[in-house]
Amino acid sequence: MKLFSLMIIILIVFILGIIIIKKVKIPFISSGYQKKFFFLYCFLLIVSAVTLNLIPQKNFIKTETTNEGLVTKSNRDNISNLISKGNFQDSKIFVQKDNWSFNYSDKKLKIINSNNMKVVVDRKNVDDGKIEVLNYMINTTYQGINITNMTSPSKVQLTKDELVLVEDENYKVNIAQFNLDFTTSQFLKNASTQNNQSSLGFFIDTIMYIKIPKSLEGIESNDIIEMIKH
Amino acid sequence: MSLIETNVFKISKIQYAFKLKANFGIFFILAIVQMASIFFSTGTVSSISTNHITIFGISGNIVIIFTIIWGISNAFILTGKNCTDMDFTFISNRLSSNLSNVAILLTAALVGSITTSLSVTVLRLFYYFKVGSKFIIGENFNIPPKTLLLSIISLLFYLILIMSISYLFGILLLLNPVLKIILPIVTVGLLVLQGLSPISNDFFNKIITFYTLENSLLLFGVKALLTAIIFFSGAVILSNRMGVRK
């Protein structure tokens, strides 16, 4: 049906083209000008092809070839277990994106979580008068691209006794993926128009790991928070 | 009786050179068509997105489709009234005229396949300068010479195949003007039938996949060239049956 629709569109475009060519009077362009224009076009194409091959490849987004350290169906269950224990550093599954530190001496703290982020609170063994916030992301691929570092940045603000956690909702990333033309991919065994690694699934989460001083006891939140039990 | 001895290939060669010069406009149109199709390709072809991230799929398929349409129109231009009338200014016969036309079409196919394959590099450069390398997936961005050559050869075979079919259609239209009405109706009718009937759908799919699912370039080339030879031969045989200037 898709092929049928495509062929109908091509046929309609072709018939319309023929009608336009016959009906519309195309202004006369001298053959000399036509030649100059065509050869200039060819020259530009050659320059473009040469320039393209001179561009270094190192800065481009690389696609993942292995599943190592990435979220898969099998290790997805293990993630909740690691989060509840606060084991972020030991696993390749988590990537630290940012961290904040605030001096805090009050005994009560209210956590405002605006974007339903996963909040894990860990009480330190010392009373150092500091609240440390560490922002972790789950190492995630999407269509074979590691998008962990492309996700929206988080912000943390401390105002009086309120710790506000915000994620930029307007943040957007557009990525261009070039596919080989159908006439070329037909003859290449490894050519694919879509990366098959989408089977890894989309599983990205922002985790806010908050370390609070030993003496801070009254924790409130507008959302669910998970306390780490030692 | 002329004292100058000549043969059909010599005459075809002279006709080819003259027609190429006279029809150089087709290459000018090719450049315009490809520039327009590159512009159309800069729009989103396909995209997949999550809450924050959108991946745009870009390819040169639109440029190829436009070039194929250009190739079809070339075959019709060469079998059109202006070009067939031009043949009578030469000392020639139907065979030499057809041979020179086929040579023109083969030249057009070669130029079309080279420029199309190179034009996708313009598309890549456009995005590179627009968004920067940090937002482009490296895979398939650079086109190695081997892939470029594969692209040129495969498209050349496709263009020769499609141009041969169009050329036969053009000759059929010359034979009988009534076909100008019948052929488009039959073509559209067959396409509609293909969409509606599973039997005819299967038949057309088999014909199309005979070429499009061939993974070997060599076999595809043999298939395309043999088919093109059959269609061009058919066009030559049919045009030999035509009378004098129509």
Side-chain angles (χ1 to χ4, degrees), chain A residues 190-203:
Chain A
N190 299 327
S192 60
T193 49
Q194 292 286 323
N195 200 307
N196 293 326
Q197 292 205 24
S198 58
S199 56
L200 286 174
F202 184 65
F203 190 83

Side-chain angles (χ1 to χ4, degrees), chain A residues 114-145:
Chain A
S114 308
N115 302 88
N116 297 317
M117 287 179 265
K118 181 88 180 164
V119 179
V120 183
V121 180
D122 191 2
R123 198 181 300 280
K124 290 186 266 190
N125 293 326
V126 287
D127 200 8
D128 57 356
K130 275 184 180 175
I131 293 174
E132 291 169 67
V133 184
L134 296 124
N135 177 208
Y136 286 98
M137 303 296 295
I138 292 177
N139 203 355
T140 309
T141 59
Y142 182 61
Q143 297 290 315
I145 308 153

Side-chain angles (χ1 to χ4, degrees), chain A residues 175-220:
Chain A
I175 299 166
Q177 182 179 36
F178 287 94
N179 300 316
L180 289 172
D181 312 325
F182 69 92
T183 51
T184 312
S185 58
Q186 184 181 338
F187 306 104
L188 291 173
K189 280 179 186 174
N190 299 327
S192 60
T193 49
Q194 292 286 323
N195 200 307
N196 293 326
Q197 292 205 24
S198 58
S199 56
L200 286 174
F202 184 65
F203 190 83
I204 192 136
D205 258 333
T206 304
I207 302 153
M208 286 293 184
Y209 179 49
I210 305 168
K211 289 181 179 179
I212 55 166
K214 193 181 178 182
S215 60
L216 206 160
E217 285 177 348
I219 300 285
E220 281 179 51

Side-chain angles (χ1 to χ4, degrees), chain B residues 217-236:
Chain B
L217 183 66
L218 185 72
L219 281 177
F220 175 76
V222 171
K223 283 178 182 180
L225 291 179
L226 277 178
T227 314
I229 288 167
I230 292 166
F231 279 104
F232 279 134
S233 306
V236 171

